[in-house]
Amino acid sequence: DGGITQSPKYLFRKEGQNVTLSCEQNLNHDAMYWYRQDPGQGLRLIYYSQIVNDFQKGDIAEGYSVSREKKESFPLTVTSAQKNPTAFYLCASSTPQYGGGGELFFGEGSRLTVL
Amino acid sequence: AQSVTQLDSQVPVFEEAPVELRCNYSSSVSVYLFWYVQYPNQGLQLLLKYLSGSTLVKGINGFEAEFNKSQTSFHLRKPSVHISDTAEYFCAVTFTGGGNKLTFGTGTQLKVEL
């Protein structure tokens, strides 16, 4: 079945450590996104990529980094510079509709807890 | 820049009763509007979207929403809810020409009770 796979589902990290969240899709979508979800704050865009080897910052990119070396993969690294990394992270993909209006397909999320 | 306001953080309702989840948006340009549903510890799933045309949009699971440009609203409705509708609902907006970068509201937790 086509879809988006995020791993790990749960992750614990000590302060000062970097951690990488995996996102893989087999929907043949060109565009991919990372959102952060906090209780009562909805979803906020961290980074997005419209095409391989290109990505742009979203609204809250500080303390995060991404790469897009393959169409299927868009890993997110939460660095030690991220001051409050405990959150639920959602990866999504879509066909590239620059006029807007396209549907985003989401993975099941990764819950990161910093101890 | 556009923004989305979901006025109700929680909406309790009895099974088989009607429900309305409110969403208001702010934008200086034309927008596309969406409703997504999230079940516990899962990703989001598209319920419905408004792009153009008829202002009444029908989605999955018996939900519908009405785009009201003068009120800048896109409220979600269901005439009779089921226990399985218990979830968090997000309204989202993107402006025309803005690609698929969505701006989400803060969500409304719908709790259906027997």
Side-chain angles (χ1 to χ4, degrees):
Chain A
D1 290 335
I4 299 178
T5 301
Q6 290 187 239
S7 63
K9 194 169 180 66
Y10 298 95
L11 184 62
F12 297 89
R13 180 195 104 176
K14 292 182 180 179
E15 281 192 27
Q17 289 181 333
N18 292 356
V19 62
T20 297
L21 308 180
S22 170
C23 178
E24 303 278 332
Q25 56 101 356
N26 60 5
L27 299 169
N28 200 32
H29 286 166
D30 285 306
M32 297 186 74
Y33 313 78
W34 275 105
Y35 283 89
R36 169 179 171 141
Q37 184 177 13
D38 296 282
Q41 295 193 48
L43 280 72
R44 293 178 290 169
L45 182 64
I46 305 173
Y47 269 98
Y48 65 102
S49 168
Q50 302 274 36
I51 198 168
V52 174
N53 292 323
D54 187 43
F55 49 83
Q56 287 79 40
K57 293 181 179 180
D59 300 319
I60 56 164
E62 186 176 350
Y64 300 97
S65 66
V66 293
S67 62
R68 188 83 188 280
E69 297 176 0
K70 297 187 300 182
K71 186 176 183 177
E72 302 79 20
S73 178
F74 192 40
L76 173 74
T77 297
V78 185
T79 76
S80 56
Q82 169 49 233
K83 295 179 181 177
N84 186 19
T86 294
F88 190 52
Y89 291 88
L90 287 160
C91 179
S93 70
S94 73
T95 55
Q97 293 180 273
Y98 298 101
E103 176 181 355
L104 265 61
F105 293 82
F106 284 85
E108 295 204 340
S110 293
R111 187 169 298 281
L112 172 63
T113 303
V114 174
L115 304 173
Chain B
Q2 64 271 24
S3 66
V4 176
T5 302
Q6 292 183 248
L7 295 169
D8 305 304
S9 60
Q10 293 186 23
V11 173
V13 62
F14 288 108
E15 193 173 42
E16 297 184 5
V19 70
E20 178 180 85
L21 306 183
R22 297 181 292 170
C23 172
N24 288 88
Y25 70 92
S26 173
S27 176
S28 58
V29 298
S30 296
V31 296
Y32 298 131
L33 293 155
F34 305 78
W35 276 99
Y36 282 82
V37 60
Q38 183 181 35
Y39 299 101
N41 293 312
Q42 292 188 22
L44 278 68
Q45 179 185 6
L46 181 67
L47 272 179
L48 49 80
K49 64 181 178 182
Y50 172 78
L51 303 183
S52 64
S54 173
T55 57
L56 184 63
V57 180
K58 294 189 183 296
I60 62 171
N61 301 340
F63 284 93
E64 63 181 33
E66 185 158 18
F67 171 61
N68 188 321
K69 189 173 182 180
S70 62
Q71 302 287 328
T72 60
S73 67
F74 190 55
H75 301 332
L76 181 70
R77 302 186 183 98
K78 187 169 183 178
S80 176
V81 295
H82 189 266
I83 284 286
S84 60
D85 292 323
T86 294
E88 190 152 24
Y89 292 79
F90 291 94
C91 183
V93 64
T94 186
F95 60 91
T96 56
N100 291 336
K101 290 191 306 172
L102 294 181
T103 298
F104 286 86
T106 52
T108 297
Q109 179 67 44
L110 175 64
K111 186 174 181 181
V112 181
E113 302 168 352
L114 292 172

